[in-house]
Amino acid sequence: MTDKKFRQKLDLRNGRVDMTHGSGGRAMAQLIDSVFAASFDNPALAEGNDQARLSLPKGCVAFSTDSFVVSPLFFPGGDIGSLAVHGTVNDVSMSGAEPLWLSAGFIIEEGFELSQLLLIAQSMAEAARKCGVSVVTGDTKVVERGKADGVFINTSGIGIIPDGIDISVKRIKAGDAVLVSGPIGDHGVAIMSKRESLSFDTEIISDSAPLNGLVERMIASKVDIHAMRDPTRGGLATALNEMADAANVGIRLEEKDIPIRLSVKSASEVLGLDPLYIANEGRLIAFCAAKDAQKLLEAMRSHEHGAESSIIGNVVEDKRNFVEMRTTLGGRRIVDWLAGEQLPRIC
Amino acid sequence: MTDKKFRQKLDLRNGRVDMTHGSGGRAMAQLIDSVFAASFDNPALAEGNDQARLSLPKGCVAFSTDSFVVSPLFFPGGDIGSLAVHGTVNDVSMSGAEPLWLSAGFIIEEGFELSQLLLIAQSMAEAARKCGVSVVTGDTKVVERGKADGVFINTSGIGIIPDGIDISVKRIKAGDAVLVSGPIGDHGVAIMSKRESLSFDTEIISDSAPLNGLVERMIASKVDIHAMRDPTRGGLATALNEMADAANVGIRLEEKDIPIRLSVKSASEVLGLDPLYIANEGRLIAFCAAKDAQKLLEAMRSHEHGAESSIIGNVVEDKRNFVEMRTTLGGRRIVDWLAGEQLPRIC
């Protein structure tokens, strides 16, 4: 953004963010230059304007935003930086779009260590490179000690929806199959384990991952995908309830078909949580006509982030918009919305 | 976003935000539905996906982001909601783009009054309507009491740059004239007066305003505008230093030509502040060839948000990239970058 002449003045090893880093003056220019511009280096950002000017390929656009307030900032399998990239890349991808550009807005608490901020920025930059997106514009604010919690990050994303693709909750209809791209609950349990200092025989790693490659593979299969969503806060159960509600249908699940790792199951029991409601950050739910489900499943399984995909249920007519599950014991259970607060600050 | 069946359950008069409103379940759906969807109502948002799908007119795109942490949340002439709309609309407009769409990401402190949140959302919605933009996608996070300060808002914006328009700091060159669209310092002084409970003979009102209409008028004048910027944090002085730096030029200002209200001058003296470094939220700086300056000035003055525009200086060759000002007393003064923290939490 600004000239290199500022770069060496910031003590990135032992320094801390102070209020001058947010006041719009030289200290802010130093911070942006040393930490953000150095990490996110790309031509649009380097132009040094307060907005990125981008040349857009022809097509419809997907636009999404997400703020990240995860606690702790670093967890098994990721950190707030990579999570902030994956989260918005995934929200954009769920429309079938190819994500291209991200914005990054930082709200930093006074006293935050510059070395940690740099780690986070570098993690974002690496995640962006891996997804094939660029962080093209940004903003930095600093608030007084006790008025934030380390760092909060907002990312917004723009992607291009290929011609002929129409993926939206409104297209879900009775007869559709419901697929999930892998085991659920890993992210939430990884965060909670870290927060509660629990240790299990096998460490549980967040599933935080970009899903744009998997979505590209699914679209290449030529199956008419009706809807997709990544079940983050509130987990699989809440995402399915939202979708049933928006499409005015019911959903019937088969418990035996829902992939959950044994370690996640055990940890959930210890923590008193239901894996159906635990956040995921690298999983997607997809809906398509039942006749296409096997083909879509194969396409999903052929990708590293969909290797453990499964068909978990189907859509029925139901004016009550209930999500019901046939349990492994043969009973039926209503899978309701998450009612209270299960896991705060999970993303 | 979600069904109307939730809407009546939230106590918008006496209720407060709690952690369940951020956990992804039914309470969050109620909050989004009652406060945000009800305020920002538009087709893209109503589709109920985690991203907006938008049909883009042909052209280049401008993309910008800004987080707002202003304190206090309500101030003379505006509030964090209208400010969050104007701020990003203005950043997008500074490329010459017509802003079309905004995202809105809320980070809310547990315990925040729902009635205040609704006021803020309604203020955002009204500001968006006045600017002709739509809030098409959003996100809500809730953090524990003491981990934020009421509410923080991130907005990101997308606009379309008309064909043939190339407005960028890199185009500034020696011989250019420098124009400003009105009196400087109003916003920062309005905030500080409120914070310090100072009262003056005439109340000082923030200049917070959308600049897209003014920019449209300027572009319609057919003058080849080289660069624009809205001098927010750090004020006129810092914006000009950033631009001189990015374009590798020097800038010479005439103090007598820089419009500053008498009330702002007096208040600045009381507060020990220099108006050149005080934030503005409804002003822009423009650069064009000297021969075009009068024509651009007239176009600016013909618009309500540019009625008090002025030509304040010119661009010179200067490898040191100094901004210098000839004072009203005939002396010369270096107008340096804002070095420390003048006004934190101003936007």
Side-chain angles (χ1 to χ4, degrees):
Chain A
M1 313 280 277
T2 53
D3 204 272
K4 286 195 174 60
K5 64 191 174 196
F6 299 138
R7 195 167 286 179
Q8 59 280 23
K9 293 188 186 166
L10 215 59
D11 180 358
L12 289 172
R13 190 173 299 182
N14 300 307
R16 290 177 181 271
V17 173
D18 62 47
M19 295 303 292
T20 68
H21 291 117
S23 63
R26 181 167 272 157
M28 190 169 92
Q30 288 171 354
L31 178 73
I32 289 171
D33 192 55
S34 312
V35 176
F36 301 124
S39 299
F40 302 143
D41 191 35
N42 62 69
L45 195 62
E47 275 204 35
N49 291 307
D50 280 346
Q51 78 296 120
R53 299 185 306 158
L54 306 162
S55 187
L56 203 68
K58 202 177 159 299
C60 257
V61 154
F63 181 32
S64 188
T65 193
D66 218 335
S67 297
F68 296 85
V69 298
V70 67
S71 171
L73 297 171
F74 297 83
F75 50 82
D79 57 70
I80 191 171
S82 54
L83 189 67
V85 170
H86 298 157
T88 291
V89 160
N90 293 349
D91 277 347
V92 168
S93 301
M94 293 305 106
S95 65
E98 180 196 355
L100 296 177
W101 302 302
L102 295 184
S103 64
F106 295 84
I107 297 175
I108 310 169
E109 185 185 8
E110 180 188 14
F112 193 66
E113 290 172 27
L114 283 167
S115 59
Q116 300 282 293
L117 190 64
L118 186 62
L119 277 179
I120 290 167
Q122 287 170 343
S123 171
M124 284 186 82
E126 194 192 333
R129 262 193 302 277
K130 282 189 185 162
C131 307
V133 300
S134 301
V135 178
V136 292
T137 191
D139 177 60
T140 306
K141 292 290 187 306
V142 180
V143 297
E144 301 87 348
R145 213 178 277 264
K147 301 295 185 188
D149 193 12
V151 63
F152 300 144
I153 303 176
N154 175 283
T155 51
S156 299
I158 299 179
I160 303 297
I161 304 175
D163 273 352
I165 296 296
D166 179 18
I167 297 174
S168 174
V169 284
K170 304 288 185 203
R171 290 195 61 216
I172 295 173
K173 52 177 185 276
D176 279 2
V178 185
L179 295 87
V180 69
S181 67
I184 60 167
D186 296 8
H187 176 71
V189 170
I191 297 280
M192 283 306 282
S193 306
K194 174 98 184 180
R195 229 187 263 169
E196 307 284 331
S197 300
L198 294 177
S199 67
F200 301 98
D201 287 351
T202 46
E203 190 185 32
I204 296 164
I205 308 285
S206 166
D207 54 289
S208 178
L211 295 171
N212 53 332
L214 172 61
V215 168
E216 197 183 344
R217 184 76 54 92
M218 291 164 71
I219 285 176
S221 77
K222 304 283 182 197
V223 167
D224 180 15
I225 302 163
H226 294 170
M228 288 194 286
R229 184 157 296 185
D230 57 333
T232 55
R233 274 180 295 175
L236 183 71
T238 302
L240 290 175
N241 270 285
E242 284 172 7
M243 297 177 93
D245 195 60
N248 193 24
V249 296
I251 294 174
R252 302 296 174 259
L253 301 174
E254 287 289 343
E255 185 171 24
K256 68 171 170 43
D257 296 329
I258 300 174
I260 308 177
R261 294 187 205 286
L262 197 57
S263 56
V264 169
K265 246 180 216 166
S266 318
S268 302
E269 276 176 28
V270 173
L271 294 161
L273 300 171
D274 182 341
L276 289 174
Y277 294 88
I278 298 179
N280 312 277
E281 291 290 343
R283 302 287 177 240
L284 64 81
I285 314 168
F287 289 72
C288 68
K291 68 173 175 50
D292 294 329
Q294 198 58 39
K295 188 173 173 192
L296 187 60
L297 181 68
E298 280 160 27
M300 290 167 71
R301 286 188 174 165
S302 76
H303 191 277
E304 58 168 330
H305 293 314
E308 295 169 82
S309 294
S310 176
I311 300 171
I312 60 170
N314 62 292
V315 178
V316 297
E317 286 187 25
D318 178 353
K319 292 293 171 207
R320 305 162 306 169
N321 309 145
F322 279 1
V323 179
E324 277 181 16
M325 183 167 75
R326 188 156 66 186
T327 66
T328 44
L329 299 173
R332 291 204 162 274
R333 165 191 161 191
I334 298 279
V335 179
D336 201 359
W337 292 73
L338 173 62
E341 135 199 17
Q342 195 176 31
L343 290 177
R345 311 277 304 273
I346 206 75
C347 57
Chain B
M1 315 283 274
T2 54
D3 205 271
K4 287 196 176 56
K5 65 192 175 196
F6 298 138
R7 194 168 287 179
Q8 59 279 24
K9 292 186 186 168
L10 214 58
D11 180 358
L12 288 173
R13 188 172 302 182
N14 302 306
R16 288 177 182 273
V17 173
D18 62 45
M19 295 303 292
T20 67
H21 292 117
S23 63
R26 181 167 273 158
M28 189 170 91
Q30 288 171 356
L31 179 73
I32 290 171
D33 192 56
S34 311
V35 176
F36 300 124
S39 299
F40 303 142
D41 190 35
N42 63 67
L45 196 62
E47 275 203 34
N49 291 306
D50 280 345
Q51 78 296 118
R53 300 185 304 159
L54 305 161
S55 189
L56 202 67
K58 200 176 158 299
C60 256
V61 154
F63 181 32
S64 188
T65 194
D66 218 335
S67 297
F68 296 85
V69 299
V70 66
S71 171
L73 297 172
F74 297 84
F75 50 83
D79 57 70
I80 191 172
S82 54
L83 189 67
V85 170
H86 297 157
T88 290
V89 160
N90 292 351
D91 277 347
V92 168
S93 301
M94 292 306 105
S95 66
E98 178 195 356
L100 296 176
W101 302 301
L102 294 184
S103 64
F106 295 85
I107 298 175
I108 309 169
E109 186 185 8
E110 181 188 14
F112 192 66
E113 290 172 26
L114 283 167
S115 59
Q116 300 282 293
L117 190 63
L118 186 62
L119 277 180
I120 290 166
Q122 287 170 343
S123 171
M124 284 186 81
E126 195 193 332
R129 263 192 302 277
K130 283 188 184 162
C131 308
V133 300
S134 302
V135 178
V136 292
T137 190
D139 177 59
T140 306
K141 294 290 188 304
V142 180
V143 297
E144 301 87 349
R145 214 179 277 261
K147 301 295 184 189
D149 193 12
V151 62
F152 299 144
I153 303 176
N154 175 284
T155 51
S156 299
I158 300 178
I160 303 297
I161 303 174
D163 273 350
I165 296 296
D166 179 19
I167 297 175
S168 174
V169 284
K170 304 286 186 206
R171 290 196 59 215
I172 296 172
K173 52 176 184 277
D176 280 3
V178 185
L179 296 87
V180 69
S181 67
I184 59 167
D186 296 9
H187 176 72
V189 172
I191 297 280
M192 281 308 280
S193 306
K194 173 99 184 182
R195 229 187 263 170
E196 307 285 330
S197 300
L198 294 178
S199 66
F200 302 98
D201 288 350
T202 46
E203 190 186 30
I204 295 165
I205 308 286
S206 166
D207 55 288
S208 176
L211 295 171
N212 51 333
L214 172 60
V215 169
E216 199 183 342
R217 186 73 56 90
M218 291 163 71
I219 286 177
S221 78
K222 304 283 183 197
V223 166
D224 179 17
I225 302 162
H226 293 170
M228 288 194 285
R229 185 157 297 182
D230 56 333
T232 56
R233 274 181 295 176
L236 182 71
T238 303
L240 289 176
N241 270 286
E242 284 173 6
M243 297 176 93
D245 194 61
N248 193 24
V249 295
I251 294 174
R252 300 298 173 256
L253 301 173
E254 286 289 342
E255 186 172 23
K256 68 171 170 44
D257 296 329
I258 300 175
I260 308 178
R261 292 186 207 287
L262 196 57
S263 57
V264 168
K265 247 180 216 166
S266 317
S268 301
E269 276 175 27
V270 174
L271 293 162
L273 300 171
D274 181 341
L276 290 175
Y277 294 88
I278 298 179
N280 312 276
E281 291 290 343
R283 302 287 176 239
L284 64 80
I285 313 168
F287 289 72
C288 68
K291 68 173 175 55
D292 295 330
Q294 197 59 39
K295 187 174 173 191
L296 186 60
L297 181 68
E298 280 159 26
M300 289 167 73
R301 285 188 174 164
S302 75
H303 191 276
E304 59 168 330
H305 292 315
E308 296 169 81
S309 294
S310 177
I311 301 172
I312 60 170
N314 62 292
V315 178
V316 297
E317 286 188 26
D318 178 354
K319 294 292 171 209
R320 305 161 307 167
N321 309 146
F322 279 0
V323 179
E324 276 180 16
M325 183 166 77
R326 187 157 65 185
T327 67
T328 45
L329 300 173
R332 290 205 163 274
R333 167 189 161 193
I334 297 280
V335 179
D336 202 358
W337 291 73
L338 173 63
E341 132 197 20
Q342 194 176 30
L343 291 174
R345 310 278 303 277
I346 205 76
C347 56

